[in-house]
Amino acid sequence: MDFDLFSISTELILALGGILTLAVGFVGRSRKRPYRIGIISPEVVALAVMAAALVPSIMLIARTVFTHARPETYQFGGLIATDGLALFFKPIAIISTAIVMLLAIDYFRKIDIHRGEFYALLVFATLAITMLAGSTDLIMIYLSLEFLSLTSYILVGFLKRDTRSSEAALKYFLFGSVAAAVMLYGMSIIYGLTGTTSLSGVVSAFGGTLVPYPLLLMATVFVLVGFGFKVAMVPFHQWSPDTYEGAPTPITAFLSVGSKAAGFAVLVRVLATGIEPSIIDWTPLIILLSAATMTVGNLIAIPQTNIKRMLAYSSIAQAGYLLLGIAAMPLSDRAVPAVLLYLLVYLFMNLGAFAVVTILSARLRSDKISDYAGLIHRSPAAAVCMAIFMLSLAGLPPTGGFVGKLYLFLAALDTGSTALLWLAGIACVNTIISVFYYFNVVRTMFFLKPEEMSPIESSRPLGFVIALTTAVTFAVLFFPQPFIEIAHLSASMLTGM
């Protein structure tokens, strides 16, 4: 098998960059005063690493688009692929983590923490996501998933003196450990049935014929437990609200986007190229999970008074919409591109919402929705942008969220399946339900009187993040074709469609 060093240059840069960030943190450590952001500091080094890692990932995509080459090279004996799915998720992982780093600079500006370790862990978490997106072997999937989980546990509990942060990390760890054990047991069953851990080997072992093995169905369910935990899918979502509320706000943003993107990347790969529907019909199970996930997430989000808990349940509901696309994969060529497109839109609109939350969380020391009262008078730009992000999360025009959700619905309608048509109807009803709690935030910001009238100012990093995420949210609406074409190209290089 070929070994292309350039194809894994992103992972190499992230691995070496994480070590360098850690080293810079150790050299510049001072317990007597908070770090100053100088030319050489963990923040700057980590962001430089993200920029350096983004260059080869963009070059690989450009090479694929302009030369029409199919980068199907497998690395490390077939453990990692550099196909369309991997190329699509590498920039997503890097950009989302870089935005989280900018949020963290503002959030921790008055808190004395070990910044070297914090930013190094974010770099290593990005490495885990890129490895997971390209994993084509069950063992590699498990190792990458656990690598991501371990870094996430530490980041959630990074504020050691904050009891809420410690409690959130403990709950996250306990749920994650159980989910990982169940998933590993399911993988061991698949290995016992096929004699291989390679996804392509699993397909070959069954010859592409429908297998009526109850044991394989049980193994598939067990594997879905691990992936379902990562994407906060019902009924494996219990960790999400408490963890989102207790974690530092930038890490909550990372979990809602980076971790979720990683979970869906591996879910798409396993179900599209490993446990194919021609082997075992998993579509009814995904349909049930999708309906339950979006309904539970939206209904429980309504009474929430904490913005981070509300966004946690919103994130659960968003996972349900994405599962609609997963369920349509066997019957629609548009399904995988729809999932990829919606994940891309979700990245920017959700991080934009968390950028506004970070502003108020750092300055008001509160995450209550009631404290957003009159934000239009105290920070007009933040209030307007937050309203745009709420519109986009609800899937309403004129935002990119509308385009992403519409494409998901069209993928379900393309199938002609009665079950998927019903699921699309349930998704439409849930979209209407979600408008209630999203617009409650808008109502609070625009129509309720604030207790104080003092202006709330944001830092330059947060201002840049809000401007960037707002621009992309509108760009997907007004210039959707490039994003749709990239999603289709990535999907075609994964499934051969």
Side-chain angles (χ1 to χ4, degrees):
M1 293 185 181
D2 296 332
F3 184 83
D4 183 7
L5 189 63
F6 183 63
S7 296
I8 59 169
S9 54
T10 298
E11 287 82 358
L12 292 175
I13 291 172
L14 290 172
L16 296 175
I19 296 172
L20 177 62
T21 304
L22 195 61
V24 170
F26 280 132
V27 171
R29 176 176 293 173
S30 172
R31 295 181 180 274
K32 295 181 180 178
R33 65 182 186 277
Y35 290 114
R36 294 182 182 274
I37 301 176
I39 297 177
I40 301 179
S41 66
E43 296 92 337
V44 175
V45 172
L47 287 169
V49 169
M50 292 292 109
L54 186 61
V55 172
S57 66
I58 296 296
M59 290 176 65
L60 283 168
I61 293 174
R63 184 178 71 177
T64 303
V65 171
F66 293 113
T67 65
H68 302 287
R70 295 175 63 89
E72 296 176 347
T73 304
Y74 288 86
Q75 310 295 335
F76 303 108
L79 294 178
I80 297 179
T82 54
D83 59 4
L85 189 71
L87 294 183
F88 183 87
F89 277 98
K90 283 182 182 181
I92 283 183
I94 294 167
I95 292 171
S96 61
T97 308
I99 291 175
V100 169
M101 288 177 179
L102 292 174
L103 299 183
I105 290 174
D106 182 86
Y107 185 82
F108 291 120
R109 73 192 190 286
K110 293 183 179 179
I111 302 175
D112 187 10
I113 63 166
H114 297 305
R115 282 171 167 76
E117 291 91 324
F118 180 84
Y119 289 98
L121 285 168
L122 281 174
V123 174
F124 288 133
T126 311
L127 172 62
I129 296 173
T130 59
M131 292 172 59
L132 189 58
S135 296
T136 56
D137 188 276
L138 294 177
I139 295 176
M140 193 65 193
I141 288 172
Y142 175 76
L143 292 176
S144 301
L145 202 59
E146 284 305 287
F147 184 19
L148 176 59
S149 295
L150 289 173
T151 54
S152 299
Y153 300 151
I154 300 170
L155 287 168
V156 169
F158 210 79
L159 299 177
K160 296 180 292 184
R161 296 179 181 85
D162 188 335
T163 55
R164 292 188 307 164
S165 179
S166 300
E167 180 185 351
L170 180 60
K171 289 181 178 179
Y172 191 26
F173 169 73
L174 292 175
F175 277 109
S177 300
V178 174
V182 173
M183 179 185 68
L184 188 60
Y185 184 51
M187 290 178 173
S188 69
I189 294 175
I190 294 174
Y191 174 72
L193 291 172
T194 62
T196 180
T197 57
S198 169
L199 294 180
S200 58
V202 171
V203 176
S204 300
F206 292 114
T209 57
L210 194 65
V211 179
Y213 293 160
L215 198 58
L216 182 59
L217 177 60
M218 183 176 69
T220 304
V221 172
F222 285 174
V223 171
L224 283 176
V225 170
F227 301 156
F229 166 78
K230 264 299 166 215
V231 303
M233 178 173 64
V234 171
F236 317 111
H237 67 288
Q238 296 94 336
W239 63 273
S240 180
D242 291 335
T243 301
Y244 276 40
E245 182 179 2
T249 303
I251 301 307
T252 303
F254 175 76
L255 294 177
S256 71
V257 173
S259 184
K260 190 177 292 293
F264 274 105
V266 69
L267 185 61
V268 168
R269 183 178 295 282
V270 169
L271 295 183
T273 65
I275 310 174
E276 296 180 348
S278 59
I279 297 173
I280 186 168
D281 188 11
W282 39 257
T283 305
L285 177 62
I286 299 296
I287 289 174
L288 288 174
L289 291 172
S290 174
T293 301
M294 66 177 75
T295 303
V296 170
N298 281 318
L299 290 179
I300 304 182
I302 292 174
Q304 300 304 317
T305 58
N306 183 290
I307 189 73
K308 289 166 71 174
R309 287 187 74 89
M310 187 273 281
L311 289 174
Y313 285 109
S314 163
S315 178
I316 293 169
Q318 300 294 338
Y321 300 133
L322 285 162
L323 287 171
L324 169 65
I326 300 290
M329 283 198 313
L331 300 173
S332 173
D333 293 348
R334 191 181 286 181
V336 175
V339 171
L340 300 184
L341 177 65
Y342 195 76
L343 276 172
L344 179 64
V345 178
Y346 178 73
L347 157 69
F348 288 97
M349 62 186 179
N350 208 51
L351 283 178
F354 271 106
V356 178
V357 172
T358 302
I359 293 175
L360 300 192
S361 181
R363 285 149 184 78
L364 303 181
R365 297 298 171 188
S366 172
D367 293 315
K368 292 182 178 180
I369 296 176
S370 58
D371 290 328
Y372 284 58
L375 185 62
I376 186 63
H377 302 293
R378 305 182 68 184
S379 182
V384 170
C385 290
M386 188 64 162
I388 293 169
F389 298 134
M390 293 294 103
L391 276 172
S392 192
L393 285 168
L396 300 178
T399 60
F402 170 74
V403 175
K405 192 167 287 187
L406 177 63
Y407 214 63
L408 279 174
F409 290 166
L410 289 176
L413 296 176
D414 275 351
T415 64
S417 166
T418 303
L420 283 169
L421 290 176
W422 274 102
L423 183 59
I426 294 172
C428 289
V429 172
N430 272 280
T431 298
I432 296 171
I433 294 172
S434 69
V435 171
F436 181 86
Y437 62 84
Y438 287 131
F439 272 69
N440 178 50
V441 178
V442 177
R443 179 186 67 87
T444 302
M445 293 188 302
F446 283 78
F447 300 110
L448 296 188
K449 284 179 123 185
E451 294 182 3
E452 294 183 41
M453 289 300 294
S454 57
I456 298 175
E457 298 180 358
S458 65
S459 63
R460 288 185 179 179
L462 280 180
F464 171 76
V465 168
I466 293 174
L468 173 65
T469 50
T470 304
V472 176
T473 300
F474 280 123
V476 176
L477 174 70
F478 294 112
F479 308 101
Q481 198 57 37
F483 299 98
I484 293 174
E485 289 180 358
I486 290 173
H488 273 279
L489 181 63
S490 301
S492 67
M493 288 189 290
L494 168 71
T495 60
M497 290 187 291

